[in-house]
């Protein structure tokens, strides 16, 4: 993958799962009439006996995944994000979280990426919900290289994981695999700076990067951190950023309540109170519309992020 | 399974009594509990744990074991009672029921106690978990079976019917449901609160093969469990007609004993009732 190249995250995800499945026979895929839209058609073709179809049955599919995991399988359940998170939340909490089963829930088309389909299909509370579950790892990869590395890491991690994937094409942000030291629970410093730290996660990362580059061109010392793991948070990296830059701005395609913004604020409020701004969806149901317009409506375009930073530095 | 001798039947009746005695022991320790729907399943669990299931209490994680999932997790008392009687853990542990951080919580926790296959409690979860187990066992080439105990009131949870449809779609004939049709739930008779009758027709329409048995008649229970799968390629549902609180005569068929916080005289009455059953089991 080359920096700047645009990749469909669902296709990248499907290829990554298939390549893990080639080396790990325990991996099975569960579809809720959702695997072709999740980039898993090649998996189904390659491993038809390991591709299990459940139809539009999003509560049942979580319980089945849990039961499969008790027999040593590693189930990946992939579907449109709200239908695997807010809809079957009790199944995710009890059957996977409380039962500590090795299931990977993949919410795709997460965030505002189904902008035109409206609030029933947008998924902006999934991180908040799932990170309340003890033992649940929550990962929102911000570029295709992070995504590929995340799929490998979550396959090898023993325990429940929520992996959050968008749907519109996203740019490759790293120059090479080596430039992206992805690890579960670790953030990645993409740009260094001393005045303020901007933290992006998931599909919001490229816009946070664009904002940071614009600000740096103006001479503002912005540090940019990619935070693919929202739970467990990279405590050391956050405290270091708070100590060295004194101001933190989070950026996410999610409610700031309970999302990355909320998670960072919870940690800093207790360990090192630090002024913050949170860019993301506020307490509202966003409108339906073209993706770029809905992002603007929620303050998530690079110029809007940069404006928040400038105002914050004056405050 | 070989035909049952009179002695075999009598032995299982004694096991069912031992399970009921353990249920009372749990209640005495915890001062309260979901007793009605536990007592109604004593014969079914005696048959499963002492005759039908391929299990080894010394190896609770044996991959080839049969599984029992108690989907109606508030039937925890009968599960704990049967596991203790079968030797999964010392019976003294029953006396910790109701204590802080007990290994025997109000609903079963698979990580706390050997032999507990799933952490249930919220209704409408156990059947899909069990379906996943059955599918996983089949994918692994194992011939193990998965048994699921469900409540009749529990059937109102829509998630069960998702699970039931998927089980027949995937032809899980290694999956056997036993519905405890005791006819009562917290608010009253199940047919008045939210009826899913006729139960057998419901299961059949979802692609399951069914049997109906008297849930306190051990030979009938053994026959049904022994014949499952009733049809190749189909999951099996056994509707067991039972009496809620069976064995405590003063409480039988009474809705107020769904959850029981017994006064001392009722404990004595329960003990006397179980002693009376024991006298009928001589010889």
């Amino acid at each position: 993958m080359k920096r700047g190249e645009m990749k469909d995250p669902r296709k990248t995800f499907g290829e990554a799962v298939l390549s893990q499945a080639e080396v790990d026979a325990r991996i099975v895929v569960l579809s809720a009439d959702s695997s072709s839209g999740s980039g898993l058609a090649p998996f189904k073709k390659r491993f038809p006996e390991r591709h299990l179809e459940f139809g539009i049955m999003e509560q049942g599919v979580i319980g089945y995944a849990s039961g499969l995991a008790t027999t040593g399988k590693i189930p990946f359940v992939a579907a449109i994000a709200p239908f695997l998170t807010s809809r079957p939340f009790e199944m995710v909490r009890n059957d996977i979280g409380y039962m500590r089963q090795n299931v990977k829930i993949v919410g795709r088309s997460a965030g505002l990426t189904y902008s035109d389909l409206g609030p029933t299909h947008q998924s902006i509370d999934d991180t908040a919900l799932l990170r309340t579950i003890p033992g649940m790892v929550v990962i929102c990869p911000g570029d295709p290289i992070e995504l590929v590395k995340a799929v490998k890491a979550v396959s090898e991690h023993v325990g429940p994981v929520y992996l959050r994937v968008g749907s519109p094409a996203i740019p490759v942000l790293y120059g090479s695999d080596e430039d992206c030291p992805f690890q579960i629970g670790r953030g990645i410093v993409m740009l260094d700076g001393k005045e303020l730290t901007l933290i992006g996660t998931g599909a919001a990362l490229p816009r946070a990067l664009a904002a940071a580059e614009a600000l740096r061109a103006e001479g503002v010392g912005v540090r940019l951190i990619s935070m693919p793991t929202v739970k467990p948070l990279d405590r050391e990296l956050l405290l270091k950023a708070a100590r060295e830059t004194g101001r933190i701005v989070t950026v996410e395609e999610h409610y700031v309540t309970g999302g990355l913004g909320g998670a960072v604020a919870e940690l800093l409020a207790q360990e090192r109170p630090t002024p913050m701004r949170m860019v993301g969806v506020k307490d509202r149901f966003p409108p339906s519309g073209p993706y770029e317009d809905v992002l603007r409506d929620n303050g998530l375009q690079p110029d809007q992020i940069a404006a928040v930073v400038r105002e914050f530095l004056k405050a | 399974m070989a035909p049952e001798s009179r002695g075999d039947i009598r032995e299982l009746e004694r096991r069912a009594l031992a399970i009921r005695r353990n249920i009372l022991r749990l209640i005495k320790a915890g001062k309260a509990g979901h007793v009605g729907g536990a007592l109604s399943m004593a014969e079914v669990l005696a048959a499963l744990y002492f005759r039908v299931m391929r299990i080894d209490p010394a190896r609770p994680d044996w991959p080839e074991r049969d599984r029992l999932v108690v989907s109606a997790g508030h039937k925890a008392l009968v599960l704990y009672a049967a596991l203790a009687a079968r030797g999964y853990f010392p019976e003294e542990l029953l006396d910790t029921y109701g204590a802080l951080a007990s290994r025997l919580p109000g609903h079963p926790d698979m990580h706390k106690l050997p032999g507990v296959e799933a952490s249930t409690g919220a209704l409408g979860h156990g059947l899909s978990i069990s379906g996943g187990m059955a599918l996983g066992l089949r994918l692994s080439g194992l011939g193990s079976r998965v048994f699921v105990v469900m409540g009749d009131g529990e059937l109102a949870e829509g998630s069960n019917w998702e699970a039931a449809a998927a089980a027949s779609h995937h032809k899980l004939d290694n999956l056997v449901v036993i519905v405890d049709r005791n006819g009562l739930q917290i608010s009253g008779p199940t047919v008045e609160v939210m009826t899913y009758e006729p139960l057998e027709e419901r299961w059949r329409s979802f692609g399951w093969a069914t049997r109906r048995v008297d849930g306190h008649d051990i030979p009938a229970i053994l026959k049904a469990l022994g014949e499952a799968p009733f049809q190749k390629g189909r999951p099996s549902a056994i509707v067991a007609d039972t009496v809620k609180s069976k064995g405590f005569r003063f409480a039988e068929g009474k809705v107020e004993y769904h959850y029981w916080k017994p006064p001392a005289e009722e404990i004595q009455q329960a003990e006397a009732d179980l002693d009376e059953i024991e006298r009928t089991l001589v010889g």
Side-chain angles (χ1 to χ4, degrees):
Chain A
M1 287 191 262
K2 286 207 180 93
R3 197 199 303 265
E5 188 185 349
M6 299 299 284
K7 303 287 278 186
D8 176 341
R10 297 177 293 173
K11 188 164 179 287
T12 303
F13 162 73
E15 289 164 357
V17 174
L18 180 55
S19 109
Q20 278 305 118
E22 295 283 1
V23 295
D24 191 338
R26 298 171 298 171
I27 292 177
V28 294
V29 158
L30 281 71
S31 164
D33 192 19
S34 55
S35 73
S36 59
S38 307
L40 291 163
F43 182 102
K44 183 179 176 181
K45 193 169 175 209
R46 173 75 178 86
F47 294 116
E49 73 290 354
R50 288 158 65 183
H51 176 274
L52 306 165
E53 182 58 70
F54 286 82
I56 307 167
M57 184 183 281
E58 291 115 351
Q59 298 176 82
V61 76
I62 299 292
Y64 271 83
S66 166
L68 279 156
T70 69
T71 69
K73 306 297 175 198
I74 304 176
F76 275 75
V77 194
I80 300 173
F83 309 142
L84 289 184
T85 55
S86 54
R87 183 187 181 99
F89 178 71
E90 190 185 76
M91 284 72 188
V92 175
R93 186 191 63 186
N94 295 6
D95 307 354
I96 294 176
Y98 180 44
M99 282 177 59
R100 307 205 297 259
Q101 292 305 314
N102 192 18
V103 173
K104 317 304 169 187
I105 300 166
V106 184
R108 53 97 172 162
S109 311
L112 293 166
T113 62
Y114 267 161
S115 61
D116 55 329
L117 301 182
T120 61
H121 281 60
Q122 297 164 357
S123 196
I124 48 181
D125 55 10
D126 46 342
T127 294
L129 287 166
L130 268 65
R131 80 181 180 86
T132 62
I133 299 172
M136 180 71 69
V137 168
V138 178
I139 301 183
C140 316
D143 101 315
I145 294 178
E146 286 188 11
L147 175 53
V148 170
K149 292 194 172 205
V151 169
K152 184 167 192 297
V154 307
S155 304
E156 291 165 358
H157 171 82
V158 180
V161 173
Y162 177 54
L163 182 66
R164 192 172 191 256
V165 181
S167 48
I170 51 172
V172 176
L173 302 181
Y174 297 92
S176 68
D177 282 7
E178 293 72 40
D179 283 356
C180 171
F182 176 89
Q183 266 185 283
I184 293 174
R186 292 290 164 81
I188 299 166
V189 179
M190 298 180 75
L191 298 169
D192 207 358
K194 299 283 184 209
E195 273 187 85
L196 176 145
T197 301
L198 198 53
I199 307 174
T201 193
L205 182 64
R207 288 174 190 82
L209 172 61
E213 282 171 341
L215 289 159
R216 288 162 69 94
E218 294 166 17
V220 181
V222 175
R223 178 178 301 184
L224 177 71
I225 292 176
S226 168
M227 195 65 82
T229 312
V230 177
K231 183 184 182 178
L233 269 179
D234 189 338
R235 179 175 168 275
E236 281 67 35
L237 191 67
L238 279 171
L239 291 176
K240 185 165 184 278
R243 194 170 60 241
E244 292 177 359
T245 72
R247 290 182 180 87
I248 304 262
V249 178
T250 56
V251 189
E252 61 193 313
E253 264 188 48
H254 188 280
Y255 284 128
V256 296
T257 305
L260 174 71
V264 170
E266 286 163 16
L267 185 139
L268 293 181
Q270 296 181 83
E271 302 213 26
R272 188 181 182 94
T274 304
M276 280 184 69
R277 295 289 184 273
M278 302 180 195
V279 178
V281 184
K282 301 302 192 293
D283 188 18
R284 67 197 281 252
F285 291 104
S288 172
Y291 184 48
E292 296 296 331
D293 296 349
V294 173
L295 288 177
R296 180 158 298 283
D297 195 72
N298 288 281
L300 277 159
Q301 291 291 8
D303 61 298
Q304 296 173 298
I305 300 166
V308 168
V309 170
R310 285 188 208 100
E311 184 275 333
F312 190 15
L313 287 169
K314 279 187 237 153
Chain B
M1 251 179 347
E4 312 303 323
S5 71
R6 271 183 64 89
D8 289 341
I9 305 300
R10 185 46 54 90
E11 191 222 322
L12 289 176
E13 287 168 349
R14 290 209 185 92
R15 298 292 186 189
L17 176 66
I19 288 171
R20 289 199 168 90
R21 287 207 186 277
N22 278 348
I23 291 172
L24 187 58
R25 181 172 178 170
L26 287 155
I27 290 277
K28 281 156 86 172
K31 317 281 188 237
H34 286 100
V35 75
L39 288 166
S40 55
M41 278 287 101
E43 281 79 12
V44 167
L45 265 67
L48 286 168
Y49 277 107
F50 288 94
R51 187 80 175 93
V52 175
M53 286 203 294
R54 188 173 59 164
I55 48 173
D56 179 358
R59 288 185 296 160
D61 296 326
W62 181 36
E64 292 171 41
R65 71 192 183 280
D66 289 341
R67 274 96 170 145
L68 171 67
V69 171
V70 178
S71 181
H74 61 280
K75 295 180 188 293
L77 294 179
V78 71
L79 178 62
Y80 299 155
L83 290 173
R86 189 66 178 84
Y88 279 86
F89 53 84
E91 295 198 320
E92 291 68 45
L93 209 52
L94 298 173
D95 300 324
T96 68
Y97 182 68
L100 176 68
S102 169
R103 293 175 64 195
L104 288 63
H107 292 100
D109 179 342
M110 65 186 290
H111 297 296
K112 288 211 161 71
L113 210 54
V116 175
E117 299 285 358
S119 304
T120 52
L123 298 173
H125 289 243
L127 187 55
S128 25
I129 295 168
S130 304
M133 290 176 180
L135 195 48
L137 292 167
R138 190 176 70 192
L139 282 171
S140 303
L142 299 175
S144 314
R145 292 199 286 173
V146 184
F147 298 90
V148 196
V149 168
M150 304 183 74
D152 52 355
E154 181 188 13
L155 296 182
E157 293 282 10
S159 52
N160 292 318
W161 301 102
E162 292 192 358
S168 66
H169 179 87
H170 287 289
K171 304 185 178 7
L172 299 178
D173 61 7
N174 55 346
L175 181 63
V176 183
V177 159
I178 300 111
V179 178
D180 180 6
R181 189 178 171 281
N182 60 43
L184 293 175
Q185 59 190 103
I186 292 176
S187 306
T190 299
V191 291
E192 289 174 20
V193 178
M194 179 49 64
T195 186
Y196 270 71
E197 295 289 349
L199 296 188
E200 286 167 275
E201 270 182 41
R202 302 266 182 182
W203 288 97
R204 278 200 296 271
S205 73
F206 274 79
W208 290 55
T210 65
R211 288 277 192 283
R212 184 153 200 145
V213 299
D214 174 343
H216 302 302
D217 178 344
I218 287 191
I221 295 166
L222 289 176
K223 183 169 186 293
L225 290 171
E227 286 173 7
F230 308 136
Q231 220 177 311
K232 195 172 161 40
R234 286 187 193 275
S236 308
I238 298 170
V239 177
D241 288 308
T242 60
V243 175
K244 201 153 178 169
S245 306
K246 176 75 172 177
F248 294 1
R249 277 192 306 178
F250 61 94
E252 286 182 358
K254 289 185 183 161
V255 73
E256 56 270 33
Y257 291 92
H258 174 83
Y259 186 87
W260 188 42
K261 197 170 181 180
E265 61 272 20
E266 283 192 346
I267 294 276
Q268 287 172 4
Q269 188 57 55
E271 276 166 351
D273 287 352
L274 295 182
D275 290 345
E276 180 60 33
I277 293 173
E278 186 154 6
R279 279 192 285 278
T280 68
L281 295 181
V282 287

